[in-house]
Amino acid sequence: MEKLVINGGKPLNGNVRIGGAKNACLPILAATILAEGSYKISNVPDLRDIRTMLSLLGEVGVSAERKDGGIQLNCSDDMEKVIAPYELVKTMRASVLALGPLLARKKKAKVSLPGGCAIGERPVDQHIKALKLMGADINVAHGYIEAECERLKGAEITFDVVTVTGTENIMMAAALAEGETVLYNAAQEPEVVDLARFLKKMGAKIEGEGSTIIRIKGVEKLNSNDYIVMPDRIEAGTFLCAVACAGGKITLENAPVSSMTAIIDKLVQTGLNIKVVNDSTITAEKNGRLEGTDISTQPYPGFPTDMQAQFMSVMAASQGVSVITETIFENRFMHVSELKRMGADIRLKDKSAVIRGAENITGAPVMASDLRASASLVIAALMAEGTSEILRVYHLDRGYERFDEKLSLLGADITRTAE
């Protein structure tokens, strides 16, 4: 395994280009199951989760290779395998996104119950409930979801809770269903909208994406197509938090500005000087110590849970008292104990973390517990006095492409080495 060694106290300066959104790429790649033919999906980051999804697609008959700055895929017209095995699904929850497309295209699917980061329960009951309403016969046994149907039929579906992958899975399934499907309490995330755009390029009939009600009129057949994936708002937000911790001035290029309002607004409240240059360019500069502020994670358009850990690192050295409330995942405070090893003053109470800004954050050996926690520890180390070692950085590599290299180009003293 590898670790990152970071000598803190180096300000960040320069330009950084934001890559494609992992959370948009994964469902779009899964959607290639829906139609035979060739695809070129561009702006796809080279991440562990992406490689896992491509391996899963290979298992069911979709070949893929990196080519000419994108991923070239070919979906076989005679797909036979419909199994997403545990060996792949255990490492990434988004593997469950194969369920809807397989069932819609092949009328059967066997998908392992998912794994991924240990940040709390992320049940797939909403996926199963919706597919049953669409006429699927589903059995959960021996760690697998086994589903069969004739042809899925449109239905009115109300999600009990907002679920991003649930909305995406059923939207894909409904694209080939008979009749109209209406999703109520649908997720509004930009990544859901990006998937809808891709499906519509394939010939799907979808209305209302980006709102809480999405209507999908099923079609007999979809067609393969090419697509450019949206930039990653979480990567962009993480770099904003990095300069808020380390200091300096950076420019984000290819940033999805319109989807970052909640992130930008909260960082501006702390005193970070952020300027939106245009719809894809942001500058951020730190002038003096920042002020603490409160956040509560919410589904989009609220403050994203995927930015909570990084924002906590910013608050750990800001003036005053901040309260961070996590409403999405119950175990998403596992980075707290590691930040405390670096001198952060954090107290947990129920679903909230109370942070008193510390005068000095100091370097220490710390261990990443999940994807976003690993990013929070890296950016805390950037401002820490002395040297930090971040262990288990394989978590980081699941969601950030060349994060340490990009930081190094901005002036960070960061080295990747064997543990």
Side-chain angles (χ1 to χ4, degrees):
M1 288 192 288
E2 294 178 317
K3 65 181 179 181
L4 293 178
V5 180
I6 301 170
N7 293 308
K10 308 289 185 181
L12 306 179
N13 290 285
N15 296 11
V16 61
R17 183 173 179 82
I18 303 304
K22 180 198 79 153
N23 290 339
C25 287
L26 295 172
I28 287 170
L29 291 173
T32 62
I33 293 170
L34 289 166
E36 65 181 86
S38 297
Y39 302 79
K40 182 180 179 182
I41 310 299
S42 302
N43 202 33
V44 180
D46 186 12
L47 303 170
R48 284 186 60 185
D49 279 7
I50 299 296
R51 293 192 289 271
T52 298
M53 179 60 80
L54 295 178
S55 296
L56 188 157
L57 291 175
E59 287 284 322
V60 300
V62 182
S63 62
E65 64 173 332
R66 285 201 170 264
K67 187 177 180 181
D68 300 328
I71 294 182
Q72 192 73 40
L73 301 103
N74 186 70
C75 182
S76 171
D77 61 354
D78 59 349
M79 292 171 57
E80 294 183 0
K81 294 182 179 180
V82 293
I83 300 177
Y86 171 72
E87 289 72 22
L88 291 172
V89 178
K90 69 180 179 180
T91 64
M92 184 184 70
R93 180 180 184 269
S95 303
V96 76
L97 289 166
L99 177 62
L102 282 173
L103 192 56
R105 169 102 185 271
K106 301 301 294 182
K107 310 299 187 288
K108 58 183 177 180
K110 183 177 179 180
V111 177
S112 173
L113 290 169
C117 283
I119 58 176
E121 290 295 324
R122 296 191 277 186
V124 295
D125 62 306
Q126 297 299 300
H127 306 236
I128 293 170
K129 166 192 164 181
L131 290 170
K132 283 183 175 180
L133 287 172
M134 297 175 73
D137 182 12
I138 298 180
N139 181 46
V140 180
H142 308 295
Y144 279 84
I145 305 167
E146 299 185 46
E148 292 187 3
C149 66
E150 292 297 326
R151 182 186 179 188
L152 292 173
K153 298 185 183 298
E156 293 198 352
I157 296 163
T158 301
F159 292 114
D160 298 325
V161 295
V162 176
T163 165
V164 174
T165 54
T167 299
E168 293 167 340
N169 223 344
I170 305 311
M171 192 162 62
M172 288 187 282
L176 287 177
E178 180 183 342
E180 182 178 70
T181 300
V182 185
L183 306 182
Y184 296 99
N185 199 28
Q188 302 175 68
E189 268 70 5
E191 295 79 10
V192 173
V193 175
D194 214 34
L195 172 62
R197 291 195 193 104
F198 177 59
L199 291 172
K200 288 201 278 191
K201 282 198 72 175
M202 295 175 68
K205 296 181 179 179
I206 303 172
E207 296 178 352
E209 66 273 17
S211 75
T212 59
I213 302 175
I214 301 176
R215 298 179 182 275
I216 310 104
K217 291 183 179 179
V219 298
E220 291 288 336
K221 183 180 179 181
L222 296 170
N223 302 298
S224 61
N225 221 304
D226 298 342
Y227 195 71
I228 301 173
V229 177
M230 68 173 287
D232 194 331
R233 63 193 172 107
I234 303 303
E235 182 190 9
T238 300
F239 274 105
L240 292 180
C241 286
V243 75
C245 283
K249 181 179 181 180
I250 64 172
T251 298
L252 305 185
E253 300 171 347
N254 193 42
V257 174
S258 63
S259 67
M260 295 178 63
T261 301
I263 299 169
I264 292 171
D265 286 353
K266 277 299 174 182
L267 286 169
V268 167
Q269 284 182 29
T270 70
L272 186 66
N273 184 9
I274 295 179
K275 180 182 179 182
V276 174
V277 179
N278 54 45
D279 60 4
S280 63
T281 309
I282 303 170
T283 64
E285 183 176 15
K286 182 179 182 181
N287 297 310
R289 194 176 180 195
L290 303 181
E291 297 287 338
T293 190
D294 301 339
I295 64 165
S296 175
T297 62
Q298 299 291 338
Y300 190 86
F303 192 91
T305 181
D306 278 354
M307 283 300 305
Q308 177 255 104
Q310 301 92 305
F311 193 80
M312 187 178 293
S313 292
V314 178
M315 293 300 93
S318 298
Q319 297 184 89
V321 178
S322 308
V323 179
I324 294 179
T325 302
E326 173 60 55
T327 70
I328 309 297
F329 296 123
E330 68 274 15
N331 290 342
R332 207 160 201 175
F333 282 141
M334 289 189 290
H335 49 283
V336 168
S337 59
E338 301 302 294
L339 288 175
K340 290 172 74 170
R341 286 174 51 80
M342 302 176 75
D345 184 350
I346 306 171
R347 179 171 55 88
L348 295 179
K349 183 178 181 182
D350 299 325
K351 295 182 178 181
S352 295
V354 180
I355 307 115
R356 297 181 183 276
E359 289 291 339
N360 291 304
I361 300 296
T362 57
V366 290
M367 184 177 296
S369 57
D370 60 73
L371 168 55
R372 305 307 173 185
S374 63
S376 77
L377 297 177
V378 170
I379 62 178
L382 293 175
M383 67 176 168
E385 179 185 324
T387 302
S388 298
E389 294 184 355
I390 317 294
L391 308 181
R392 293 185 179 177
V393 293
Y394 58 85
H395 287 294
L396 187 76
D397 297 335
R398 284 188 51 230
Y400 293 93
E401 183 179 21
R402 301 186 298 107
F403 189 49
D404 48 325
E405 294 178 33
K406 290 181 177 181
L407 287 171
S408 180
L409 290 172
L410 292 173
D413 185 346
I414 180 170
T415 305
R416 183 181 287 250
T417 184
E419 285 190 13

